[in-house]
Amino acid sequence: MRKTLLAAALAVFGTTVVAPAASAAPLDWGPCPAGAFPTPDLQCTTMKVPLDYRNPDGRTIDVAVSRLPSKNPEKRRGVLLTNPGGPGGEGLDYPQLLKLVKLPQSVLDEYDIIGFDPRGVGHSTPVTCDLTLEQMMIGNLPYANGPADVVKQAAVAKAEAKQCADAGTGPMLPYVTTANTARDMDRIRAALGESTVSYLGASYGTYLGAVYTSMFPERSDRFVLDSNLGPGGYDIDAMRNFGRGMEDRFPDFAKFAAAHPEYGLGTTPARVTAKFHELAARLDRKPVEGITGSLFRGLTFEGLYSTNLKPLAENWQALDQGRAPKTPGLTPDDSAENLFAARFAVLCGDSSWPRSVAGYQVDVAIDRIRYPLLGAATANIAACAFWPSAPVEPKVRITDRGPANVLMVQNERDPGTPLAGARKLRAAFGDRARMVTIDQGGHGAYLFGPNGCGNTTVTEFLVSGSRPAHDRYCAAENR
């Protein structure tokens, strides 16, 4: 049964009432700002949205939107909103990136592909925490070798939280949340003149899509969620689950490195694993070009996102020989500060986080044993423990209420969004969803992985609406 927006809002948020979607003026498309790579096919614009949807006539902020139009009006079905993940990641040029990685022509014909920088990010009204280069170099995963390291990190986290609150954009931070970004998406839908939207979201974008289709089920068409967070989004459980994800994925790398003795990392997976721990300890004692053991762990974790493990092996080899890796990816650029700030805003604004330093010390001790590769980092304390304000509204609950229009696609050994979290989201959706699980590693299944079974299943759903009658398992290919 269709519900009014007011009734749906009450069902999702209890007593929290938000404004209904306003009728929006048509968007005025023009050229896109310069980005990471050329966007010759994209059109861009900026629209106004309320900072606080409970006060729709109050302050507004900008949301930057892009469009890759279908060139086949006879086949065009509607619009496909997209999000590449994050939180804090820009999405304005994502439609162009999807085209570059060979989004099938049938999908490009079927939809106008829509990208956007989420509120607080990039070309949308951005937030800042005035973070220093040193703070950003610590990253999100500082490894704690013992209780004293948690206390040390607590001081860093407390300073970061205060900087965020004291920065010029501090008043924005409580409203840079997943629920408000979902409301922005519905404003984009209205401005495009569409009654419904389809969606393709990856990583954090799966949670954003899950929230949107839970808040606005009647406005949701075909939803693809690729590399799935659990139903709680990026809460403390998801952060600690990174440790599990690395344990799931690392054996693929250990096997690869052992099969390539030219890297000198060990002739068996067990010896490669031992090399990991030896290198981490050595770099803690004597960093190479500023790369500590903690940063080495983070570099390895990020390298496991890719289906191509050769660059990670080359980086290990360089560090083992006392040289800086060729592609460390560890020096923040100008956009990194905004990414960190927006990430803090969403993580701390979506969920309530534990505040006891002693509690984090216990979690670190547990996860160092449970997930020895990375657990003492992913259980460590961060800025949300000292965030100055509680979430402004309850978290959106993901349930089975709504149309059966969700297709989840998931790598079996994903380090960033492990299969365990995806299974919880699948259970929360019930019959609303089907899940395609692929026997491959890495973060990102659709298009970014070589599995034909998984890619074909997603494309067929987007183009025809055909969805598997039951959850599907795709065997490994090209291994």
Side-chain angles (χ1 to χ4, degrees):
M1 179 182 297
R2 291 174 63 87
K3 299 180 180 179
T4 66
L5 180 61
L6 177 60
L10 289 170
V12 174
F13 298 120
T15 58
T16 301
V17 180
V18 297
S23 58
L27 297 175
D28 184 16
W29 299 102
C32 293
F37 51 84
T39 55
D41 303 317
L42 274 185
Q43 304 165 345
C44 286
T45 190
T46 300
M47 60 183 291
K48 298 287 185 182
V49 298
L51 173 64
D52 180 359
Y53 277 88
R54 299 170 304 177
N55 182 20
D57 297 323
R59 179 184 171 185
T60 61
I61 57 174
D62 291 338
V63 171
V65 184
S66 65
R67 176 176 68 174
L68 185 66
S70 168
K71 295 181 180 179
N72 194 330
E74 293 183 358
K75 291 187 176 180
R76 181 188 179 278
R77 175 183 177 83
V79 298
L80 181 70
L81 265 67
T82 62
N83 181 273
E90 298 180 17
L92 199 64
D93 55 7
Y94 192 51
Q96 191 80 47
L97 175 61
L98 288 170
K99 184 176 180 179
L100 289 175
V101 297
K102 306 302 182 184
L103 185 67
Q105 187 61 47
S106 56
V107 179
L108 295 170
D109 288 342
E110 195 82 6
Y111 302 97
D112 294 344
I113 314 299
I114 306 298
F116 66 103
D117 283 351
R119 60 170 50 208
V121 174
H123 297 284
S124 297
T125 304
V127 293
T128 181
C129 289
D130 295 328
L131 298 173
T132 66
L133 179 62
E134 181 181 7
Q135 286 171 321
M136 289 187 285
M137 286 290 287
I138 292 172
N140 291 309
L141 302 173
Y143 191 86
N145 287 296
D149 285 342
V150 180
V151 174
K152 180 180 178 182
Q153 176 58 21
V156 174
K158 187 173 184 179
E160 289 172 339
K162 186 176 187 304
Q163 286 172 226
C164 291
D166 292 346
T169 57
M172 281 182 59
L173 295 178
Y175 309 103
V176 180
T177 64
T178 301
N180 278 332
T181 300
R183 295 180 180 112
D184 295 341
M185 288 168 57
D186 204 53
R187 289 293 181 105
I188 294 170
R189 174 202 59 77
L192 292 168
E194 301 286 341
S195 59
T196 62
V197 294
S198 293
Y199 180 79
L200 173 61
S203 192
Y204 163 74
T206 62
Y207 180 59
L208 176 59
V211 167
Y212 180 91
T213 198
S214 297
M215 295 175 67
F216 307 105
E218 73 281 5
R219 297 173 187 168
S220 306
D221 190 11
R222 299 168 183 171
F223 268 53
V224 173
L225 309 181
D226 178 355
S227 307
N228 296 266
L229 281 170
Y234 264 126
D235 57 10
I236 189 171
D237 292 332
M239 292 300 291
R240 294 180 71 179
N241 216 23
F242 282 141
R244 176 170 183 165
M246 187 159 174
E247 298 289 336
D248 289 346
R249 173 62 166 151
F250 187 83
D252 290 340
F253 174 74
K255 182 179 179 181
F256 171 85
H260 291 82
E262 65 269 22
Y263 296 118
L265 303 176
T267 55
T268 66
R271 289 179 178 177
V272 174
T273 303
K275 173 62 74 173
F276 171 85
H277 293 292
E278 186 268 323
L279 260 177
R282 190 200 315 169
L283 290 166
D284 270 336
R285 294 191 304 270
K286 186 179 180 181
V288 172
E289 298 291 332
I291 298 178
T292 63
S294 181
L295 289 176
F296 165 70
R297 292 174 189 270
L299 180 148
T300 300
F301 178 66
E302 292 175 9
L304 294 174
Y305 273 44
S306 176
T307 56
N308 179 12
L309 297 175
K310 180 179 177 181
L312 180 58
E314 292 173 345
N315 286 341
W316 272 39
Q317 183 184 50
L319 289 167
D320 191 35
Q321 296 174 355
R323 299 180 286 108
K326 292 180 180 179
T327 55
L330 296 172
T331 302
D333 59 18
D334 292 341
S335 65
E337 201 282 333
N338 173 236
L339 187 152
F340 274 90
R343 180 180 175 87
F344 282 149
V346 174
L347 267 61
C348 306
D350 278 3
S351 304
S352 296
W353 291 71
R355 293 182 173 267
S356 166
V357 175
Y360 285 97
Q361 289 174 318
V362 171
D363 289 347
V364 164
I366 292 171
D367 283 8
R368 180 183 296 107
I369 297 171
R370 184 166 58 169
Y371 307 131
L373 298 170
L374 197 65
T378 58
N380 205 352
I381 195 167
C384 293
F386 302 98
W387 209 243
S389 58
V392 296
E393 61 183 334
K395 186 178 292 188
V396 176
R397 186 175 172 219
I398 311 302
T399 73
D400 61 357
R401 295 193 297 271
N405 63 347
V406 178
L407 181 65
M408 301 168 58
V409 58
Q410 178 72 34
N411 288 339
E412 196 168 20
R413 298 176 302 284
D414 185 326
T417 51
L419 180 60
R423 285 173 171 161
K424 291 180 180 179
L425 181 63
R426 171 69 184 86
F429 269 129
D431 278 344
R432 286 204 68 189
R434 295 289 183 267
M435 187 162 82
V436 180
T437 304
I438 303 173
D439 181 5
Q440 67 184 8
H443 187 56
Y446 183 52
L447 304 181
F448 292 89
N451 190 276
C453 166
N455 289 336
T456 299
T457 302
V458 173
T459 298
E460 288 180 351
F461 174 65
L462 286 173
V463 173
S464 69
S466 174
R467 197 180 68 156
H470 306 283
D471 289 354
R472 176 173 294 173
Y473 183 80
C474 291
E477 299 176 9
N478 300 326
R479 294 183 65 189

